[in-house]
Every structure is written in C-alpha cells, then in structure tokens.
Amino acid sequence: METLTLKSPFDMHLHLRDGEMLENIIKYTAQNFASALVMPNLELPIVSVDLAVAYKQRILEACKKQGIEDFMPLMSLYLTPSLTEVELRKAKELGIFILKLYPKGATTGSQSGVKEVLDSKILEILGIAESLGMVLSIHGESNGFVMEREVEFHPVFEVLGKSFPKLRIIFEHLSDYRSVALVEKYENLFATLTLHHMLLSLDSVAGGMLNPHYFCKPILKTKKDQEALLQVALSGHSKFSFGSDSAPHLRNAKEQKGAAGIFSAPILLPLLVQTFESNRALEKLETFISYNASKIYQLPLSKKNVRLCKKPMIIPQECYGVVPMLAGETLEWSVA
Ligand code: NCD
Ligand code: ZN
C-alpha cells in the first residue's frame, strides 16, 4: 500500500479547550502533530504565566492518559493591558514567547480582549515583547461588516509592522485574498492558513440549507478568496505556515446558539495530503506544515514523524458530541 511520512508536522493555531473536552479531543492532534500552538481563549482566559504553565500541565496529563508522550504543546499568553514587563520576562524564561491579541468582541472568548489595539499601553507592551524577541499573533478583524472585517483591520497591521520592525507579527487564519499582499509587504509580518479557508466558501454555510457547522470567525468568504489562499499554501510560500484553527463546540452550542468555530482536528493530515496530492504539490507539503513554522517561530524540528497510508478514512458524524468538518465524507488517506 502506498504510504507517506511527514516530518515534524506543526499546527500553529489550535483550540484544545479544557476539562472533559480537552481529554476527549487531545488525541486527534497529539497523535498526528509534533507540536501545536495552543490558543489561550478559555472561559477563564490564560492571561498570566502561572495560568499558562498550569494549562500546559493539564494538556500533558491528558496526553499521558492516552499514552502519548511525544507531543509538545506550545503555550500562548492572552494579551491584556495588565501584562507587565516582569510577567513578560517570566514568560520568556519559561519558554512562553507567543502573545495572542484578540480585539474585544471579535470572536469566541474575546471578551477580555483589547478594546483599542493602538492604545499607548498596548504599544508599550508590544515594545517590551519586541525587545524580548517574542512573537505576536493577532486575530485581525475589525467590528465592521462581516465580509470586510479582515481588510478593515489592515491599517492596524501597517502601523504595527512599521512601529515594531523586530517583532514577528502573525496575521492569524487569513481569509481574504487581499491580505496576502499585505503580508508580503512587511518583512516582519507572517500568516497562518487554515484548511477550511482554502477549501470552503460562504456557500458551505449559507449556499443551501443553513449549516452552522461551517460558521467560523473569520467567516468563510468567496471562491476567489478560497482559491487564492489555496494557491499560497500549495506554493509553500515562506511567510505562511499551517494553523488549523480547529475549534470544537458541542453540537448544541453550534446548532442552538450559533457558536463560531470549525472542528477539523480529526481530519487534518489526511485532508492536507489529499489536497496537496490532488493539486500536484505534494513536494511542498512539508514546507507548509513543518519547515515554514520552524523558521518563522524559530522552533527546532521534532524527531516525530507521522506516517499515512492510502487507505480510505470515513469521517465520523460526531466525535464526543462535536460534529467534525466534512462529517460523513470519505478521505483517500488515513494516518497509519
Ligand atoms: C474560535 C473558537 O471557537 O475559540 N472560533 C472560530 O470561529 N475560529 C476562536 C477564533 O480563533 O476566532
Ligand atoms: Zn482560533
């Protein structure tokens, strides 16, 4: 049977939640990736180093319970105006070097986010982060019209890109084709790409019967956006790394309350391989999911390899109460 081995796959944007959900879903990522950047937007957000260290411990314990010992969670710190230089230095010493900035109200768990990104207090924090060699990941959306939010946020990236030339800034989950040129414009600006933004459009949400399972932030956009983002990923462009933004919500929260987030963790590697293979770009896959992240975030490659085989994977209708992306469909590859 045809097989394929991926070296040190990284998922640079992942929601693992906490408690029972964490324990249920951790295996989907921990078995298949060497490392993942864990988002801090828990119900009680990870706003301090102590909280991040304790959360990392819970993640590692959940891995251990599943018999997984070769997965490294990379922690991020939720940026609030209360972050101090002492706290940032402590973070850096403990290997926590990624700050996540949520504009207040932009998405799930952003209530503690930043009201005004260009506020002097925030700029002061970013100056310290720059001097410490940290990375700033941003959910780049305004509070304007839903389809234009990402582009409306561009001026903030322009100011930050110019003001902090040594700060590596990540434009998270790019969804609009117009953002690609912006990322290319500044040397210190990079981006993550999700699979759903490169394979789906707003049609999946609202083109037929309303489908809340494809509702996410930033919202899926046009076929033109989708195609442009896919081409960027397939080209192995050095400024773009893979970040799934897999974001589980229980079925009820999606269907009754309209929670935003797509749960893609169970299908990521098979779907990545299928996508790159069908577009004759398999030779660029490791660049996209391993080497680019390693360079952008200055992460050593792990020794962990993940093997896939060309055997159909039937995607379940539900995983622990969560409906995964492409539920019920069949993929060409499975993780061996
Ligand atoms: C994410 C979540 O559910 O935590 N939701 C989403 O739609 N992507 C938050 C986020 O990354 O925006
Ligand atoms: Zn996210």
Side-chain angles (χ1 to χ4, degrees):
M1 192 186 307
E2 200 181 334
T3 66
L4 183 150
T5 302
L6 296 172
K7 266 183 256 154
S8 186
F10 294 126
D11 181 347
M12 299 313 293
H13 184 132
L14 177 70
H15 299 273
L16 282 176
R17 314 303 191 204
D18 213 342
E20 197 184 339
M21 179 71 94
L22 166 66
E23 304 224 337
N24 286 338
I25 64 158
I26 182 68
K27 63 171 185 240
Y28 296 116
T29 301
Q31 279 168 353
N32 298 339
F33 288 85
S35 190
L37 173 52
V38 183
M39 290 296 128
N41 64 331
L42 301 185
E43 276 172 42
L44 281 174
I46 304 299
V47 293
S48 73
V49 176
D50 288 349
L51 288 171
V53 169
Y55 186 30
K56 180 174 183 177
Q57 210 46 45
R58 295 198 294 282
I59 296 168
L60 288 173
E61 272 159 30
C63 288
K64 213 165 175 191
K65 272 196 198 165
Q66 307 273 340
I68 304 166
E69 310 257 3
D70 59 356
F71 172 72
M72 185 46 67
L74 258 178
M75 306 314 289
S76 58
L77 205 52
Y78 197 116
L79 199 160
T80 71
S82 330
L83 265 185
T84 62
E85 176 160 3
V86 171
E87 191 70 3
L88 289 171
R89 286 189 181 278
K90 181 173 161 190
K92 194 70 202 304
E93 269 162 31
L94 293 173
I96 300 169
F97 63 96
I98 296 158
L99 297 180
K100 178 68 192 266
L101 190 158
Y102 291 99
K104 201 179 180 69
T107 186
T108 310
S110 63
Q111 302 82 343
S112 310
V114 172
K115 240 192 244 155
E116 184 49 67
V117 180
L118 301 179
D119 169 87
S120 60
K121 180 70 203 163
I122 302 299
L123 297 181
E124 189 190 318
I125 293 171
L126 298 184
I128 299 166
E130 180 183 41
S131 69
L132 292 173
M134 298 178 103
V135 170
L136 173 68
S137 290
I138 305 186
H139 182 114
E141 286 198 287
S142 73
N143 54 11
F145 174 61
V146 67
M147 294 292 276
E148 296 294 323
R149 282 178 193 173
E150 192 170 293
V151 165
E152 284 177 6
F153 202 85
H154 284 185
V156 176
F157 279 110
E158 302 247 14
V159 171
L160 297 180
K162 282 182 213 152
S163 311
F164 304 102
K166 296 229 154 61
L167 179 66
R168 283 164 289 158
I169 304 172
I170 319 286
F171 197 157
E172 292 283 59
H173 37 53
L174 230 67
S175 67
D176 189 309
Y177 81 94
R178 293 168 289 180
S179 300
V180 175
L182 182 79
V183 171
E184 287 171 332
K185 187 170 162 191
Y186 294 94
E187 216 174 303
N188 54 335
L189 196 52
F190 303 90
T192 54
L193 291 173
T194 76
L195 260 176
H196 49 270
H197 287 103
M198 62 178 96
L199 295 178
L200 306 173
S201 73
L202 191 55
D203 266 359
S204 294
V205 188
M209 300 281 276
L210 181 64
N211 189 341
H213 298 289
Y214 291 124
F215 173 59
C216 64
K217 299 289 176 70
I219 198 152
L220 295 172
K221 299 204 168 53
T222 67
K223 298 248 190 236
K224 177 175 175 175
D225 295 300
Q226 174 196 324
E227 184 58 29
L229 298 171
L230 175 64
Q231 292 309 325
V232 170
L234 296 173
S235 74
H237 194 312
S238 62
K239 294 196 126 201
F240 297 79
S241 62
F242 175 60
S244 71
D245 198 13
S246 175
H249 292 274
L250 290 173
R251 181 190 280 278
N252 183 56
K254 295 288 293 171
E255 295 179 358
Q256 310 297 323
K257 297 182 191 147
I262 295 178
F263 182 48
S264 54
I267 65 167
L268 292 171
L269 289 186
L271 187 55
L272 277 160
V273 171
Q274 180 172 316
T275 302
F276 276 67
E277 185 183 45
S278 64
N279 286 284
R280 296 170 198 275
L282 254 189
E283 77 284 358
K284 296 285 190 200
L285 181 56
E286 279 177 331
T287 305
F288 180 53
I289 65 171
S290 310
Y291 307 136
N292 286 353
S294 169
K295 286 186 193 132
I296 295 168
Y297 298 82
Q298 293 169 4
L299 292 173
L301 288 171
S302 147
K303 290 197 173 63
K304 182 166 175 176
N305 293 332
V306 182
R307 208 162 63 89
L308 290 98
C309 53
K310 204 159 198 176
K311 185 178 98 189
M313 172 192 182
I314 300 170
I315 304 171
Q317 293 291 350
E318 209 175 282
C319 309
Y320 304 98
V322 183
V323 177
M325 179 175 170
L326 305 184
E329 293 189 29
T330 303
L331 298 177
E332 291 164 14
W333 291 81
S334 340
V335 176

